[in-house]
Amino acid sequence: MTRSLLLLLAFLLQISAAELPVRRVVLYKHGVGYFERSGELRPGEAARLDFKASEMDDMLKSLTISDTTGNKISGVRYDSSEPLSRKLSEFPFNIGDHKPLSVFLDSLKGARVELRFGPETVAGAIVGARLSPATETQPERQQITLLLDTGVLRTLDLSGASELRLQDAELQQQLREYLAALTGARSREKRSVYIDSSDSQVRKLIAGYIIPVPVWKSSYRLSFASSGEPLLEGWAIVDNVTGDDWSKVQLSLVSGRPISFISHLYEPRYVTRPVAELPEDKAQAPALHEGGVGVVGGVAGGAIGGVIGGIVSSQPAARQKALRDGTRFGAMAAPAPEEAMVARSEIASSVTGIEGRELGELFEYGFATPVTVRKGESAMLPFLQQRITARKLLIYADSSSVHPSNAVELTNNTGKTLDGGPVTVFDAGAYGGEALMETLKSSDKRLVSYGVDLGTRITTKLDSGRDDLREVHFRRGVLTARHAIRETRTYTVRNVEQKAKALIVEHPIRPNYKLIDAKPAETTTSAYRFEVKLAPGATEKFPVVEERILENVFAVTNLTPDVLASFLQNKELPAATRKSLEQLASLKRQVADADRAINDAQMESSDLNRDQERLRQNINSLRMVTGQQEQVQTYARQLAANESQIASLRDRIGELRKKKATLESELNSLIETMEF
């Protein structure tokens, strides 16, 4: 009896699963954490790791396993998670949301049920069930029709039944499993992962993985003393929501955001496959043969045959080759795990037990002293306490305000990366304000503002300057002129306090504008930063001059001589350019003068023609009147004089048109050949 009990205990120990406690935790800023568990395994024992269902995808993507005796891992098992819709599709019924009982029972046609109506019990096979709609005299009712053992069909009202039992034991079990599947889908129970081993000796197993966790947060306290550099204290806020205690773990915090994503590996995937059938697999339909009506020249009739040409797969060539070769297509090959922590040059911290080191593009704060954070708790841990180079100043970046902000220019000489977070400023032991700081790399510099300086007032004024012609280019009849427009924004700063101040003015960078003369102390992606020294009680004016070049393109044929003359007024034009423009303007002016003379002659000729028409009408009117012969002769002489003038004007217009054509030809030739 004792021997049997010992054998049973030994067997139970062999099949038991060992839990590996958390030994190391590394928290990142992008929503995941690296966890390392380790422990001893006895011969034949399996290690068990528990996870939430939402953590399984990341665990399967990142799990790495190592031990001290060599690679003796025989496999990893875990609780599968078949899609709920696929599980439920295997059952012969469906319990839909908000569906009445009659719909469920109607799907079980033929099943035997037993209903109790008070002292009466009715049993039979389900013929059907339905929901009777409400009428003016009766409410909505659920009814079921049963085939009783006596052969009688009986319709019953389900609302009057106190009990309903399925008599088929297998159907009862299926209903239990259906409901269990629904319950399991809503369950938050942990999923277990088992690491099997075939080793015959005790060994130490180390398992590492990443799972989703809250990001760790940082906050700072910047304390100014009466003298010396201020003290910067950094605190890390971590949250343990994993469901396991972190008992004396090696904790590290990493600043940086490596790429991370979710890949659905936990839920089984199914592929819809095409249906292919051979013709002989189908049942042969009966054939109807018609009667013969005669025989002509031999055997009558014909054979009906089938030819199977083959089944063409729609799978890609690579998949077909894999299937022919018997290999597994599309298997995911996990990349070899890299070391999560690579030791680099370590930098000592003034906070006891904190080490900072570079991790490639990231930076790690490591706590040398083990840390304990119970499940469901959060902790606030100091990771930095060092002097830092800082300079107090004012910054004016909001043009809608008349006051600048109190700010600090931080130069990160701590040798560490300062993770982004809120900064609370204390000045001479008193609360000074709060600021937000982005992640600050070692040796980098950053401005942070924490309050409003009511002792300084700033106003701005914008003046638009003159429009100067800077360049003129001509080619193939196109004139390109570049103009420069200057704008001056003047910042008037008044320091009402009796102490000197340093002010940083942030002037926005505008596209296509260039600074003139002034040189900024610093430039950001969106602004110039100018530093202005303010004397006690003084008023300073700081102008910022900018210039914008505008380019205008003209077709010379559309330009008037006056427009060309406006270009010639610029005294800074080169002599060759000026000479070419003067020649062009002169020809354009001559063409314009000829055109004007033609218009004047045509107008004069039109006036004479109208006068002639008037004279002819007068002559016709007076010719039949007695005693008006002398006036008729006068009109005739005027008509002859007009004819002579019209002829002269016609000759002049012809000459002017010839002259204009000659000038235009000369102008066009000049336009084609001129270039500057």
Side-chain angles (χ1 to χ4, degrees):
M1 179 66 181
T2 303
R3 178 177 176 82
S4 300
L5 181 59
L6 291 175
L7 290 175
L8 178 60
L9 289 175
F11 175 73
L12 292 175
L13 287 174
Q14 288 181 355
I15 65 173
S16 63
E19 294 187 3
L20 305 180
V22 178
R23 304 295 187 188
R24 184 182 182 190
V25 177
V26 183
L27 301 180
Y28 293 85
K29 299 292 288 188
H30 64 294
V32 301
Y34 173 80
F35 292 81
E36 193 173 275
R37 296 172 177 264
S38 62
E40 289 188 350
L41 297 184
R42 290 183 287 271
E45 190 176 33
R48 190 186 77 189
L49 308 178
D50 290 331
F51 298 94
K52 298 176 183 177
S54 59
E55 299 170 346
M56 291 295 290
D57 286 327
D58 284 305
M59 184 281 300
L60 293 173
K61 181 175 61 177
S62 61
L63 179 65
T64 59
I65 303 171
S66 61
D67 58 61
T68 58
T69 60
N71 189 10
K72 299 292 185 179
I73 304 302
S74 61
V76 176
R77 298 175 290 112
Y78 59 91
D79 297 335
S80 181
S81 177
E82 189 177 21
L84 179 63
S85 59
R86 189 173 182 87
K87 284 183 179 180
L88 299 182
S89 65
E90 297 175 356
F91 292 92
F93 48 80
N94 179 28
I95 304 177
D97 294 337
H98 309 294
K99 288 186 178 180
L101 179 61
S102 57
V103 175
F104 167 67
L105 294 176
D106 190 66
S107 65
L108 300 179
K109 289 184 176 71
R112 290 189 58 82
V113 295
E114 182 181 288
L115 293 91
R116 181 179 296 275
F117 296 89
E120 181 186 8
T121 300
V122 181
I126 298 176
V127 176
R130 68 181 184 277
L131 178 65
S132 299
T135 63
E136 295 181 356
T137 58
Q138 291 184 346
E140 184 180 70
R141 295 184 302 166
Q142 296 190 67
Q143 296 178 326
I144 185 171
T145 301
L146 299 181
L147 176 61
L148 306 183
D149 295 339
T150 59
V152 176
L153 290 175
R154 184 174 178 182
T155 300
L156 303 169
D157 192 348
L158 288 174
S159 61
S162 58
E163 291 182 8
L164 188 152
R165 186 173 68 87
L166 299 175
Q167 292 184 330
D168 188 343
E170 183 178 354
L171 195 57
Q172 292 179 12
Q173 182 61 28
Q174 288 178 342
L175 182 58
R176 292 191 187 96
E177 293 174 358
Y178 187 98
L179 298 176
L182 291 175
T183 303
R186 296 190 297 267
S187 175
R188 293 188 177 181
E189 293 180 357
K190 293 184 178 180
R191 306 297 192 261
S192 295
V193 176
Y194 298 92
I195 304 172
D196 296 328
S197 171
S198 60
D199 206 347
S200 60
Q201 59 179 332
V202 177
R203 61 196 178 89
K204 184 178 180 180
L205 184 70
I206 302 175
Y209 53 86
I210 65 168
I211 58 173
V213 294
V215 299
W216 70 277
K217 303 171 285 291
S218 55
S219 63
Y220 299 90
R221 291 91 172 114
L222 182 64
S223 302
F224 285 92
S226 57
S227 62
E229 292 184 336
L231 179 67
L232 183 65
E233 297 181 9
W235 291 78
I237 300 172
V238 298
D239 307 288
N240 181 5
V241 297
T242 61
D244 293 304
D245 291 336
W246 301 347
S247 181
K248 297 182 179 180
V249 300
Q250 181 184 350
L251 179 63
S252 298
L253 308 175
V254 177
S255 176
R257 296 180 183 177
I259 294 176
S260 182
F261 53 88
I262 296 175
S263 182
H264 294 295
L265 303 177
Y266 179 48
E267 188 174 275
R269 296 178 184 174
Y270 295 90
V271 177
T272 302
R273 297 177 295 163
V275 177
E277 295 181 357
L278 294 174
E280 57 263 29
D281 292 338
K282 299 179 180 179
Q284 183 67 36
L288 298 177
H289 303 279
E290 296 180 354
V293 294
V295 177
V296 180
V299 179
I304 301 176
V307 178
I308 302 175
I311 299 174
V312 180
S313 172
S314 62
Q315 296 169 326
R319 181 181 293 270
Q320 295 183 33
K321 182 179 183 301
L323 293 174
R324 289 195 303 268
D325 297 342
T327 58
R328 183 181 178 187
F329 183 85
M332 180 177 292
E338 298 180 358
E339 289 293 330
M341 300 298 168
V342 181
R344 297 293 176 90
S345 56
E346 296 187 359
I347 306 169
S349 172
S350 59
V351 177
T352 304
I354 304 297
E355 293 182 350
R357 60 180 179 178
E358 298 287 343
L359 293 176
E361 299 299 324
L362 310 178
F363 190 85
E364 176 200 27
Y365 292 98
F367 294 83
T369 303
V371 175
T372 297
V373 183
R374 303 298 179 189
K375 61 182 178 182
E377 293 183 351
S378 299
M380 191 170 173
L381 308 171
F383 66 91
L384 178 72
Q385 189 179 44
Q386 286 185 238
R387 298 288 175 180
I388 188 171
T389 300
R391 180 168 69 110
K392 287 184 180 180
L393 42 76
L394 306 178
I395 182 170
Y396 183 71
D398 183 7
S399 59
S400 64
S401 174
V402 297
H403 301 289
S405 299
N406 291 316
V408 176
E409 183 185 65
L410 294 175
T411 301
N412 186 5
N413 59 343
T414 64
K416 304 175 179 63
T417 295
L418 301 180
D419 191 73
V423 181
T424 302
V425 179
F426 295 92
D427 195 353
Y431 171 77
E434 299 173 4
L436 276 177
M437 180 181 67
E438 294 180 336
T439 298
L440 191 61
K441 289 287 188 177
S442 179
S443 302
D444 198 2
K445 184 172 62 175
R446 195 63 49 84
L447 283 170
V448 293
S449 56
Y450 60 90
V452 177
D453 179 33
L454 301 178
T456 306
R457 292 193 289 270
I458 300 177
T459 58
T460 61
K461 181 181 180 182
L462 180 64
D463 296 320
S464 295
R466 64 184 185 277
D467 184 355
D468 293 336
L469 179 66
R470 292 295 176 84
E471 297 179 15
V472 177
H473 299 281
F474 185 89
R475 186 179 183 184
R476 294 183 179 179
V478 177
L479 182 70
T480 303
R482 291 187 175 91
H483 297 259
I485 298 178
R486 285 196 175 186
E487 292 185 358
T488 302
R489 184 176 294 274
T490 303
Y491 296 87
T492 303
V493 187
R494 183 185 177 190
N495 180 13
V496 301
E497 295 182 303
Q498 297 303 312
K499 63 179 180 179
K501 299 177 182 179
L503 171 68
I504 296 293
V505 175
E506 280 199 352
H507 182 81
I509 296 177
R510 296 187 294 171
N512 303 322
Y513 279 85
K514 182 178 68 173
L515 282 177
I516 304 299
D517 298 331
K519 294 183 179 180
E522 189 177 37
T523 302
T524 69
T525 57
S526 60
Y528 302 108
R529 285 178 177 167
F530 301 97
E531 184 166 344
V532 181
K533 300 295 184 182
L534 302 177
T539 299
E540 298 287 343
K541 290 184 178 293
F542 181 74
V544 179
V545 183
E546 293 177 295
E547 185 178 81
R548 183 184 182 187
I549 303 298
L550 299 178
E551 185 176 279
N552 295 320
V553 180
F554 307 93
V556 175
T557 55
N558 299 327
L559 292 179
T560 64
D562 294 336
V563 175
L564 290 173
S566 66
F567 291 126
L568 291 170
Q569 292 177 1
N570 191 296
K571 298 180 181 180
E572 298 182 359
L573 284 178
T577 301
R578 180 180 296 277
K579 183 178 179 181
S580 298
L581 284 178
E582 286 176 348
Q583 186 179 3
L584 189 63
S586 175
L587 282 174
K588 292 281 287 186
R589 189 176 297 107
Q590 293 180 54
V591 171
D593 291 342
D595 191 59
R596 190 181 304 107
I598 292 172
N599 290 333
D600 292 344
Q602 288 176 340
M603 290 178 64
E604 186 177 354
S605 177
S606 297
D607 291 341
L608 289 172
N609 285 326
R610 285 193 295 271
D611 193 39
Q612 277 189 318
E613 183 65 25
R614 180 182 59 82
L615 291 173
R616 289 190 181 96
Q617 290 178 359
N618 291 338
I619 290 173
N620 291 331
S621 299
L622 296 176
R623 184 174 294 173
M624 305 302 295
V625 179
T626 304
Q628 296 295 328
Q629 295 299 321
E630 185 178 354
Q631 186 64 36
V632 169
Q633 293 297 326
T634 302
Y635 286 155
R637 287 191 295 271
Q638 291 179 359
L639 187 62
N642 285 353
E643 286 289 344
S644 178
Q645 291 181 7
I646 289 174
S648 177
L649 285 173
R650 190 179 297 114
D651 294 339
R652 184 183 176 191
I653 290 173
E655 293 175 358
L656 288 173
R657 284 176 175 171
K658 290 180 181 179
K659 180 180 179 181
K660 179 183 176 182
T662 302
L663 290 172
E664 286 181 339
S665 177
E666 186 179 350
L667 177 62
N668 292 334
S669 177
L670 180 64
I671 289 174
E672 289 294 329
T673 58
M674 182 181 292
E675 184 173 335
F676 56 83

